[in-house]
Amino acid sequence: MECFKLFKESKDGEGKIKKEEEVLTRDGAVDRHGRPAVRGKTGTWVAGILILVNQGLATLAFFGVGVNLVLFLTRVMGQDNASAANNVSKWTGTVYIFSLLGAFLSDSYWGRYKTCAVFQAIFVIGLAALSLSSYIFLLKPRGCGDEQTQCGRHSGFETAVFYLSIYMVALGNGGYQPNIATFGADQFDEEDPREGHSKISFFSYFYLALNLGSLFSNTILGYFEDEGMWALGFWASTASAALALVLFLCGSPWYRHFRPRGNPLSRFCQVLVSATRKWKVETEPTEEDLFEVDAGDCAAGGERRILHTTGFKFLDKAAIITPTDFIQDANSSSSRLQPPQNNPWRLCTVTQVEEVKCILRLLPIWLCTILYSVVFTQMASLFVEQGAGMRATFGGFHIPPASMSSFDILSVAAFIFIYRRILDPVVARVRTKPHGLTQLQRMGVGLIVAVLAMVAAGTVEHFRLKYADKSCSSCEGSSSLSIFWQVPQYVLIGASEVFMYVGQLEFFNAQAPDGLKSFGSALCMTSISLGNYVSSLLVTMVMKFSARDDMPGWIPRNLNRGHLDRFYFLLAALTAANFFVYLLSAKWYQCIEFARPRTEIDGDGDGDDDDGHGVGELNRV
């Protein structure tokens, strides 16, 4: 129990020295000074709320640039539509690539706090540079950049400053995003029942904060920028990002931290090399044949051991103890086991081997989420084009098709409340083992709802075509069907996000090894990135096979002559097939199991838990 309690001396009213007990976290977290984190003085919702506000403000700042970047490239930088769309795709893809860089630095060397602070500072600098360059020399003549007035030509230097600025924004946001979600989850001790429940709730509120930030960007900032007030929009984004950084730094005294564990690539390679060296070993290893460190969790600096699992038996060879792994103790006539000094390429611990197994088991689940991201990305592309071909006036007011994504954000907010306050408690009463829906089950529900969303979109498109003028030259608003018929598909996408993306954040955070938590969050971002690329590839393939002779294809420039509804139904069928593959992957998946000392003691204080087991015994999480 000494690992989990601190005693400090203080004086009572009579001047006598007494000891006050401070309960430490059980998950190995430390405070900013590197000391074991005290539960009552660090973490929990004090730090969690600061991180949620930080996420909302940073998201507002990022989408303040990203939501209308394609318009800035065409109206201000003078690019054609194809070039602008291509440059935005490259920029967006770069954001997600930088997320892997941020996760690597965080898990390996810097830790999550330093990584978040550094990349947020880069983010602010990039936004400030973009705002200054736009105000000083990009927006010339004054007042240009709206739908009517194009800006003048720019020099090579001015163009270079612009691209340097937006890619600094991509670097800052990309490196920050996968770490802030994990850092927020670090503030809750999953070994404590109350804090463990708060940790699960945190991911829902985190995704809600992200959506609320993007809601403001898509509406208020998007309106100002569409009207040509680019400098105002960019300065608002800069101020929001700067405020987010200040609030993040203000919470420093309350944060909990986890020490980085070094380069995960080298640990991964060490297991492969060690297993390959022992490929001729044919013994069926038992627990006694496998090497693991002898130190407890406290002595190991808060790093939890991972219990041995079956499967990927070839990798177990890396931890098998062979005669060559014994060295002679200089102070003893007998041989005793020690790991080869400074040579983990010959013998790895069970925990190190299980890290590799965990990643290999996560990959099939991750691959099944990519097709869902294909469905999700339709909101920013085909949903908007579909809405542009519908009647978009209400009471004399024109509704921008892109603003319909507000229904998605409102749906996310509503379904987070419905799930947390209504659905989850009801399911928990029915299914007590496990308690409520598991993360994998929620992701499966997200896939099913995504299928329904695509069916709804295809049905709306079918009726849009029925009431459309196919002979139109400019087909915006050519159908008499109201744009509000798109609301169900946006609402269903929002509902699916709550189950899929929130569940995905929780799942990868819980199932990633301690030294790869940020990498788990980065997997969520890369699935969205790959979803964009797969969507582009799918559209290209569909157009190639559907455009024949006088047939313009399913998704032509004039949607009234195409069959976008068939493309939506195709996505529904592919997502349904992906769901069945996901079921097999989820059934095959084996959850990570940590080993930790028991800390629950009974009332007599003898160090045994209620089952009579000593506190030093290992148990499964």
Side-chain angles (χ1 to χ4, degrees):
M1 292 299 293
E2 288 79 2
C3 294
F4 301 99
K5 293 181 181 178
L6 284 179
F7 295 92
K8 65 177 183 179
E9 294 184 349
S10 63
K11 293 184 178 180
D12 59 14
E14 299 178 356
K16 296 181 180 179
I17 295 179
K18 63 179 182 179
K19 291 184 177 180
E20 296 179 359
E21 181 179 309
E22 291 184 337
V23 179
L24 306 182
T25 59
R26 303 174 182 176
D27 57 359
V30 297
D31 60 19
R32 60 174 176 165
H33 301 293
R35 299 188 295 256
V38 179
R39 186 184 304 281
K41 296 182 178 180
T42 60
T44 66
W45 285 112
V46 175
I49 290 175
L50 281 174
I51 292 173
L52 290 176
V53 176
N54 170 271
Q55 169 66 11
L57 291 172
T59 303
L60 186 156
F62 176 73
F63 282 102
V65 175
V67 71
N68 277 327
L69 182 58
V70 67
L71 294 180
F72 189 87
L73 291 174
T74 54
R75 297 178 183 178
V76 178
M77 303 305 295
Q79 298 182 8
D80 59 71
N81 289 329
S83 298
N86 189 34
N87 284 327
V88 170
S89 297
K90 292 178 181 177
W91 181 78
T92 305
T94 304
V95 172
Y96 295 112
I97 291 175
F98 283 143
S99 71
L100 295 175
L101 173 64
F104 175 79
L105 291 174
S106 171
D107 289 334
S108 304
Y109 304 110
W110 287 358
R112 284 181 270 280
Y113 172 80
K114 182 178 179 180
T115 305
C116 287
V118 169
F119 281 101
Q120 280 192 85
I122 295 173
F123 185 44
V124 173
I125 293 172
L127 286 170
L130 177 62
S131 303
L132 279 172
S133 61
S134 299
Y135 179 76
I136 295 174
F137 47 71
L138 293 180
L139 295 172
K140 288 185 178 180
R142 295 298 179 190
C144 72
D146 58 8
E147 194 171 358
Q148 289 77 30
T149 309
Q150 297 289 320
C151 294
R153 298 178 62 86
H154 303 99
S155 66
F157 171 76
E158 293 169 346
T159 302
V161 171
F162 165 73
Y163 277 109
L164 177 63
S165 300
I166 63 171
Y167 276 94
M168 284 186 68
V169 171
L171 172 61
N173 186 263
Y176 151 86
Q177 276 297 331
N179 293 292
I180 193 66
T182 309
F183 187 63
D186 289 345
Q187 309 311 309
F188 303 94
D189 182 5
E190 64 184 24
E191 307 292 341
D192 178 75
R194 180 177 298 178
E195 289 195 23
H197 185 268
S198 297
K199 183 173 184 175
I200 295 174
S201 301
F202 173 82
F203 288 106
S204 295
Y205 297 133
F206 180 86
Y207 199 75
L208 177 61
L210 186 152
N211 277 269
L212 292 178
S214 63
L215 175 63
F216 187 87
S217 300
N218 291 344
T219 53
I220 308 299
L221 288 186
Y223 172 79
F224 285 123
E225 292 170 355
D226 187 58
E227 293 296 316
M229 291 178 276
W230 295 100
L232 177 62
F234 291 158
W235 278 118
S237 293
T238 304
S240 180
L243 180 59
L245 177 58
V246 170
L247 289 176
F248 179 80
L249 296 177
C250 287
S252 299
W254 294 281
Y255 293 143
R256 295 175 185 172
H257 307 265
F258 286 88
R259 299 184 181 95
R261 294 187 57 189
N263 191 338
L265 295 178
S266 62
R267 297 201 305 272
F268 195 96
C269 293
Q270 285 167 359
V271 172
L272 297 180
V273 171
S274 180
T276 302
R277 283 181 168 180
K278 299 178 181 179
W279 68 277
K280 292 184 178 180
V281 177
E282 297 180 356
T283 58
E284 190 74 21
T286 62
E287 296 288 341
E288 292 75 17
D289 297 324
L290 302 176
F291 174 69
E292 184 60 280
V293 293
D294 295 327
D297 291 340
C298 297
E303 297 174 4
R304 295 178 295 176
R305 301 181 194 174
I306 306 176
L307 297 179
H308 177 253
T309 60
T310 58
F312 299 106
K313 294 183 179 180
F314 173 77
L315 296 177
D316 287 336
K317 295 178 184 292
I320 292 179
I321 302 169
T322 62
T324 58
D325 295 318
F326 285 86
I327 63 173
Q328 185 71 29
D329 190 343
N331 299 322
S332 174
S333 59
S334 62
S335 296
R336 66 184 181 90
L337 175 65
Q338 285 187 348
Q341 294 182 356
N342 300 321
N343 190 9
W345 299 90
R346 292 190 57 87
L347 180 62
C348 301
T349 64
V350 171
T351 296
Q352 190 175 347
V353 172
E354 291 300 322
E355 280 186 349
V356 179
K357 290 184 180 182
C358 288
I359 299 302
L360 295 178
R361 290 188 179 113
L362 285 174
L363 289 179
I365 302 294
W366 173 72
L367 289 172
C368 289
T369 65
I370 293 175
L371 195 58
Y372 171 81
S373 294
V374 174
V375 172
F376 175 74
T377 57
Q378 303 312 310
M379 282 197 305
S381 54
L382 293 181
F383 279 18
V384 177
E385 294 184 22
Q386 180 187 31
M390 304 174 75
R391 180 168 54 84
T393 56
F394 181 75
F397 180 76
H398 176 71
I399 302 170
S403 68
M404 293 296 291
S405 62
S406 301
F407 288 99
D408 165 75
I409 297 172
L410 295 174
S411 174
V412 168
F415 273 93
I416 284 178
F417 175 81
I418 292 172
Y419 176 76
R420 289 297 175 196
R421 300 298 180 184
I422 301 175
L423 183 59
D424 193 39
V426 170
V427 175
R429 292 192 186 98
V430 177
R431 299 182 73 250
T432 57
K433 292 184 180 180
H435 192 72
L437 293 177
T438 66
Q439 296 148 356
L440 287 173
Q441 288 170 340
R442 285 158 54 194
M443 292 163 67
V445 171
L447 286 173
I448 295 174
V449 179
V451 173
L452 298 178
M454 286 296 97
V455 172
T459 303
V460 169
E461 177 63 14
H462 173 78
F463 285 99
R464 190 196 71 81
L465 290 172
K466 184 177 180 180
Y467 298 104
D469 180 10
K470 295 182 172 57
S471 63
C472 62
S473 56
S474 176
C475 292
E476 290 205 6
S478 59
S479 177
S480 60
L481 194 67
S482 172
I483 195 173
F484 286 105
W485 282 103
Q486 281 192 310
V487 171
Q489 63 201 59
Y490 278 103
V491 170
L492 287 171
I493 289 291
S496 69
E497 289 178 62
V498 173
F499 288 99
M500 171 56 78
Y501 281 145
V502 177
Q504 191 177 354
L505 276 172
E506 292 181 25
F507 176 75
F508 284 120
N509 182 270
Q511 296 301 311
D514 286 341
L516 292 168
K517 293 292 187 183
S518 296
F519 174 77
S521 297
L523 285 177
C524 302
M525 297 186 67
T526 53
S527 73
I528 300 175
S529 176
L530 290 176
N532 280 276
Y533 294 130
V534 173
S535 178
S536 298
L537 177 63
L538 193 58
V539 169
T540 302
M541 293 175 60
V542 164
M543 288 301 295
K544 182 177 181 180
F545 289 106
S546 63
R548 296 178 181 177
D549 299 328
D550 59 342
M551 299 283 292
W554 288 0
I555 317 174
R557 182 179 297 272
N558 182 350
L559 288 181
N560 291 343
R561 299 182 59 196
H563 281 285
L564 182 59
D565 53 342
R566 296 179 184 176
F567 181 74
Y568 286 147
F569 291 139
L570 173 64
L571 281 182
L574 291 175
T575 307
N578 180 63
F579 170 73
F580 289 106
V581 176
Y582 172 81
L583 285 181
L584 296 176
S585 301
K587 185 177 181 180
W588 170 80
Y589 184 79
Q590 188 172 2
C591 291
I592 189 173
E593 294 181 296
F594 291 104
R596 58 178 172 82
R598 288 187 183 273
T599 59
E600 299 82 1
I601 58 175
D602 58 9
D604 59 9
D606 62 359
D608 293 339
D609 63 11
D610 295 334
D611 297 326
H613 298 98
V615 297
E617 184 178 343
L618 296 177
N619 72 316
R620 292 178 182 263
V621 179

